[in-house]
Amino acid sequence: MQRRQLGRTDMVVSVLGFGGSEIGYQRVSERTVARLLGGALDAGLNVIDTAECYDNSETLIGRAVGGRRREFYLFTKCGHARGWDRADWRPSALLGGIERSLERLATDRLDLIQLHSCGLDQLRRGDVIEALERARERGLARYIGYSGDGAAARYAVECGRFDTLQTSVSIADQEAIDLTLPLARARNLGVIAKRPLANAAWRYARKPAEPYYQAYWSRLRALEYPFLRGEDGAAATALRFTLSVPGVHTAIVGTVRPERWRQNASALEAGVLDGDEFEGIRARWRSVADASWTGQV
Ligand SMILES: NC(=O)c1ccc[n+]([C@@H]2O[C@H](COP(=O)([O-])OP(=O)(O)OC[C@H]3O[C@@H](n4cnc5c(N)ncnc54)[C@H](OP(=O)(O)O)[C@@H]3O)[C@@H](O)[C@H]2O)c1
C-alpha cells in the first residue's frame, strides 16, 4: 500500500483509508467491524476517520481496534454532539464532544480533530477554530482540520490555522480540484478525500431513495463515463481518479464489508491513472457540469 506524507503533519498515511460513517449509520455488528478493521490494519491501512455523530461508529472503532491504537492514525470530527441535525458550535460543546470522543474511541489522544462542516460565517467568527486550537494545546489532538466544501473550505485553507482539509473529491464531485486543492497544495495542507467513490452511485439502476446518494447518481447519469458501463473496474477507475488528483493524500472509503478494503487496495496496485485517462475524466466534467454541481457535504 502506497503511503503519502499528509501535508506538513508528521503523518505518513496509506493512500486508502477507512471512512467510518457507514458502519455507524448501518448498525454494523461489533464482530463485523472487528473483522473489517482488523483485516485492513493487517493489510497496511493506517487511517481511520469517523465523527461523533455517525451513530455508534466511534464506539465500534474503539472496541474493535482500541487495543491496536499505535498502528493507525485516528481522525474524528466535532460540532454535532447531539446528532447531525442538531449542530452545536459553542466552544464548550466542541470541547465536551472531543472528550467524549476520546472515551468512545478508547484513546487519550486523537491524531486529528476536524470541524464537521460548519458554515463560512461560523468559521469567520473564529471561536470554533480557537476551540480546536485549545484542544490541541491541551494534548487532546495532535492536529486540527476542517472537513467540508465550497467557500467555507476555501476560507479554511486561506486562514492558515488548519493542518488539514477533508473535502469531497471524486469522478462526480470535482469542484475542489479548482477551488481549494491548488491552494491547499501550495500551503502544504494535508488533504483527505471524502466520498472518494461518489458513494458508488452508479450501482443503482433507478434513482436511490436515500437523498445522500441522489446528487451523485444524477450527475453520473449525465456524465456517462464509458468506464461505468461495465461494472467491472468501475470502482477501481473511480478510486484511482481521486488519488490521481494533485494534492490528495488519502481517500477514506466507507464500507460495511470486511472484504472491501482488500479489494480496493488491490485495485490501487495499478497506481494513479495515466495522464490521458485522468484528463479524459476532467474534460468530460468540464463539458457537462453546470454551476449547480458544487461540492457535496
Ligand atoms: N462532512 C463530512 O465531513 C463528511 C461527509 C461525508 C463523508 N465523510 C467521510 O467520508 C467517508 C467516505 O464517504 P462515503 O462513505 O459517504 O462515500 P464513499 O466512500 O464514496 O462510498 C462508500 C460506498 O461505496 C461502496 N463501495 C466501496 N468500495 C466499493 C467497491 N469496490 N465497489 C462498489 N462499491 C464500493 C460502499 O458499499 P459497501 O458497503 O457495499 O462496500 C459504500 O456504500 C465517510 O465514511 C466519512 O468518514 C465526511
Side-chain angles (χ1 to χ4, degrees):
M1 171 63 42
Q2 196 204 342
R3 294 187 176 197
R4 296 179 183 172
Q5 183 87 37
L6 187 64
R8 58 177 177 242
T9 77
D10 66 2
M11 295 185 262
V12 182
V13 293
S14 51
V15 288
L16 181 57
F18 174 74
S21 66
E22 272 83 2
I23 56 165
Y25 289 137
Q26 295 187 36
R27 310 292 303 176
V28 178
S29 72
E30 277 185 34
R31 211 162 142 231
T32 302
V33 175
R35 211 149 59 83
L36 194 164
L37 289 180
L41 286 181
D42 292 343
L45 167 131
N46 74 357
V47 171
I48 297 178
D49 177 84
T50 183
E52 65 181 347
C53 62
Y54 295 159
D55 214 300
N56 64 339
S57 172
E58 290 186 327
T59 304
L60 286 169
I61 292 167
R63 290 193 183 150
V65 289
R68 297 178 69 174
R69 180 65 185 91
R70 292 204 191 130
E71 296 175 49
F72 59 92
Y73 299 119
L74 184 53
F75 307 166
T76 193
K77 313 185 194 85
C78 57
H80 304 87
R82 285 170 298 158
W84 174 253
D85 295 336
R86 301 173 72 190
D88 188 346
W89 303 110
R90 288 171 304 155
S92 59
L94 296 176
L95 286 160
I98 294 168
E99 281 176 0
R100 188 182 59 173
S101 291
L102 291 172
E103 258 172 57
R104 289 171 164 180
L105 288 161
T107 187
D108 50 16
R109 195 151 69 144
L110 302 163
D111 292 291
L112 175 66
I113 181 69
Q114 304 157 103
L115 278 174
H116 200 174
S117 308
C118 61
L120 180 57
D121 289 351
Q122 208 73 52
L123 272 184
R124 280 213 174 107
R125 269 202 288 280
D127 58 346
V128 288
I129 310 179
E130 272 157 35
L132 263 56
E133 288 168 342
R134 233 176 306 145
R136 186 173 52 190
E137 276 158 27
R138 284 172 50 192
L140 307 181
R142 297 199 305 127
Y143 295 103
I144 65 172
Y146 177 75
S147 183
D149 304 272
R154 173 83 194 183
Y155 178 85
V157 175
E158 281 170 349
C159 77
R161 291 168 72 180
F162 292 103
D163 302 304
T164 63
L165 172 70
Q166 178 175 149
T167 199
S168 294
V169 186
S170 73
I171 56 170
D173 202 330
Q174 301 189 27
E175 183 187 59
I177 300 176
D178 299 312
L179 182 66
T180 47
L181 297 189
L183 189 63
R185 202 168 164 221
R187 300 209 167 173
N188 204 17
L189 260 75
V191 173
I192 301 150
K194 66 181 168 78
R195 307 183 74 176
L197 272 179
N199 300 110
W202 62 82
R203 290 177 295 182
Y204 305 98
R206 301 231 171 93
K207 190 167 190 162
E210 169 56 58
Y212 182 62
Y213 300 148
Q214 289 174 354
Y216 289 165
W217 184 85
S218 302
R219 290 180 187 185
L220 290 172
R221 300 273 288 198
L223 285 159
E224 288 187 306
Y225 292 122
F227 63 86
L228 295 181
R229 273 183 220 132
E231 265 285 315
D232 276 5
T237 302
L239 191 53
R240 289 173 65 215
F241 171 79
T242 298
L243 284 163
S244 303
V245 171
V248 169
H249 300 118
T250 184
I252 46 168
V253 176
T255 185
V256 299
R257 294 176 206 275
E259 71 278 7
R260 275 291 195 226
W261 197 82
R262 203 174 276 277
Q263 182 190 349
N264 288 332
S266 67
L268 289 176
E269 279 167 16
V272 297
L273 293 182
D274 71 40
D276 286 348
E277 209 173 351
F278 180 76
E279 285 309 326
I281 292 170
R282 291 289 288 139
R284 186 79 193 133
W285 171 271
R286 284 193 201 99
S287 73
V288 177
D290 65 39
S292 71
W293 288 21
T294 54
Q296 296 294 292
V297 170

